[in-house]
Amino acid sequence: MNILGFESSCDETSASVVCNGREVLSNVVATSLKDHQKYGGIIPEIASRRQLEYINIVTAQALTTAGLSLKDVDAVAVTEAPGLIGSLVVGRSFAHSLSFALQRPLVKVNHIEAHVYAGYLTEKNEKDRDLLGEFLLPAVGLVVSGGHSSLFYIKDFSSFRVFGQTRDDAAGEAYDKVARILDLGYPGGPVIDKLSQQVKDNDIKFPCAPLEGTDDFSFSGLKTSVLYYTQRNAKIGFSVEKVANAFQESVVNVLVRKSIEACLKKKVFSLLVGGGVAANSTLRARLSESAAARGIKVRFPSLPLCMDNAAMVAGLAYHLL
Ligand code: KG4
Ligand code: ZN
């Protein structure tokens, strides 16, 4: 079954064809990120106008790359929510129209649940196709993106239950705000990740609210600690790399601890991680290490599939259909 999926919830416009819910035949992503960078964040009005310009182009490319035409499409999938309404409406209108014209089913997908699913996708012709058998459900899902930090209990791919979430900023949002404090540009995640790797010993430590006894997260106090540190040390100067590293250590520690604890508490031995922050090199290394020590299988998406993409939408739609 070939599903043509669309993702247009924010500044990416993406179309993808996924075969049988797993094999990514194409995944084309256009982004308006550059148009927003000078403002230090996404401008919804600009994002939705770019969606309109890109959607036809990415659709044509996704079909060409997959070697298919519209008549080979068995179903159409689209991100329903959450996201910026002006951006969402472009993908949704496009997908609804296409489904109507082709007389094929339309599957509406939740963007956050799709991020969790991304770790299940395989590249075209990739060898580890039997992963699905090896990677048993139920699983715990951790989504850490620019808008969300949530823990899910996944009984099967049509049943996601949130049991933990951020009480204030999302993890990616904290990265972006700290990058703004340090004058590192937008988005903050990749540059903080890179600077952080340059630090071996660090005397700076920032606290991250543990919210003991809950599965929730809180990152806004950590961000404020970074702000106060930079203000206090503005005159004498400080190492941007060390501040970035201390901030990242604090975020990664709490994400690793809470997601492993959640697996143990739920007696679940599969952990799926998704969202932009899942591209973080320290998080990938530490979580893999910590999960392996407790016999938990952890699965991260490939780096491009951590970011917003339509393959995760088309893949999850297969199970929903
Ligand atoms: O999932 P995503 O593409 O969009 C949303 O649905 O929000 O995530 C974007 C977020 C941004 O906040 C960005 O700073 C963060 O993911 N990010 C990272 C890294 N790459 C992107 N955060 C930490 N480390 C990274 N390497
Ligand atoms: Zn996303």
Side-chain angles (χ1 to χ4, degrees):
M1 178 182 283
N2 291 315
I3 299 190
L4 174 59
F6 295 98
E7 153 61 34
S8 76
S9 66
C10 191
D11 57 327
E12 271 88 25
T13 316
S14 178
S16 161
V17 182
V18 175
C19 178
N20 293 336
R22 296 220 60 211
E23 192 185 359
V24 181
L25 302 185
S26 63
N27 182 45
V28 181
V29 184
T31 178
S32 57
L33 182 65
K34 284 211 160 45
D35 298 317
H36 307 280
Q37 270 168 333
K38 59 175 176 277
Y39 304 105
I42 304 295
I43 307 295
E45 177 66 19
I46 296 177
S48 61
R49 283 168 190 267
R50 293 292 174 269
Q51 296 282 356
L52 271 174
E53 287 168 29
Y54 298 154
I55 193 125
N56 271 311
I57 303 168
V58 296
T59 308
Q61 275 187 20
L63 287 166
T64 308
T65 308
L68 302 175
S69 66
L70 279 174
K71 68 175 175 9
D72 304 310
V73 172
D74 298 302
V76 179
V78 66
T79 297
E80 184 184 30
L84 303 173
I85 190 64
S87 286
L88 283 168
V89 81
V90 175
R92 286 180 58 169
S93 310
F94 195 89
H96 274 257
S97 313
L98 203 56
S99 137
F100 180 72
L102 297 174
Q103 288 294 293
R104 293 283 185 270
L106 177 76
V107 188
K108 297 179 211 162
V109 176
N110 176 287
H111 178 81
I112 318 295
E113 294 175 2
H115 267 306
V116 180
Y117 186 78
Y120 256 79
L121 296 166
T122 62
E123 302 298 324
K124 200 172 177 178
N125 303 322
E126 197 181 322
K127 289 282 175 291
D128 68 345
R129 285 291 155 60
D130 57 349
L131 238 169
L132 199 56
E134 176 200 315
F135 205 94
L136 296 176
L137 292 173
V140 163
L142 170 70
V143 174
V144 269
S145 70
H148 299 267
S149 300
S150 310
L151 282 164
F152 291 87
Y153 180 78
I154 308 157
K155 192 160 126 265
D156 57 59
F157 286 126
S158 56
S159 160
F160 290 78
R161 189 172 57 76
V162 180
F163 64 90
Q165 53 197 325
T166 181
R167 295 197 182 169
D168 37 58
D169 291 348
E173 185 181 0
Y175 266 95
D176 296 336
K177 288 178 176 171
V178 164
R180 189 192 279 231
I181 294 168
L182 298 175
D183 207 12
L184 297 173
Y186 176 85
V191 56
I192 289 181
D193 192 2
K194 202 162 149 219
L195 291 178
S196 209
Q197 306 309 320
Q198 297 170 16
V199 179
K200 295 287 164 267
D201 293 313
N202 200 349
D203 45 333
I204 307 172
K205 298 247 176 314
F206 295 122
C208 191
L211 300 182
E212 291 300 352
T214 79
D215 296 303
D216 287 346
F217 303 101
S218 166
F219 297 106
S220 82
L222 169 62
K223 171 198 68 190
T224 309
S225 299
V226 175
L227 178 66
Y228 288 168
Y229 180 92
T230 58
Q231 288 174 344
R232 262 198 325 272
N233 292 282
K235 285 217 175 80
I236 53 169
F238 55 85
S239 154
V240 172
E241 290 83 358
K242 282 190 173 181
V243 172
N245 174 276
F247 162 76
Q248 174 155 299
E249 284 294 313
S250 208
V251 173
V252 168
N253 282 341
V254 83
L255 292 176
V256 170
R257 190 169 54 75
K258 292 238 163 186
S259 49
I260 297 289
E261 273 173 15
C263 289
L264 299 177
K265 214 161 54 187
K266 306 257 174 232
K267 298 190 173 47
V268 158
F269 294 94
S270 305
L271 175 62
L272 279 166
V273 190
V277 184
N280 186 268
S281 51
T282 306
L283 178 66
R284 290 172 92 93
R286 297 266 177 83
L287 197 48
S288 304
E289 201 179 301
S290 202
R294 287 161 184 83
I296 298 166
K297 289 205 169 88
V298 61
R299 182 83 181 153
F300 290 92
S302 62
L303 292 184
L305 295 181
C306 289
M307 311 307 162
D308 287 348
N309 66 86
M312 64 188 193
V313 175
L316 180 55
Y318 174 83
H319 298 273
L320 299 175
L321 191 61

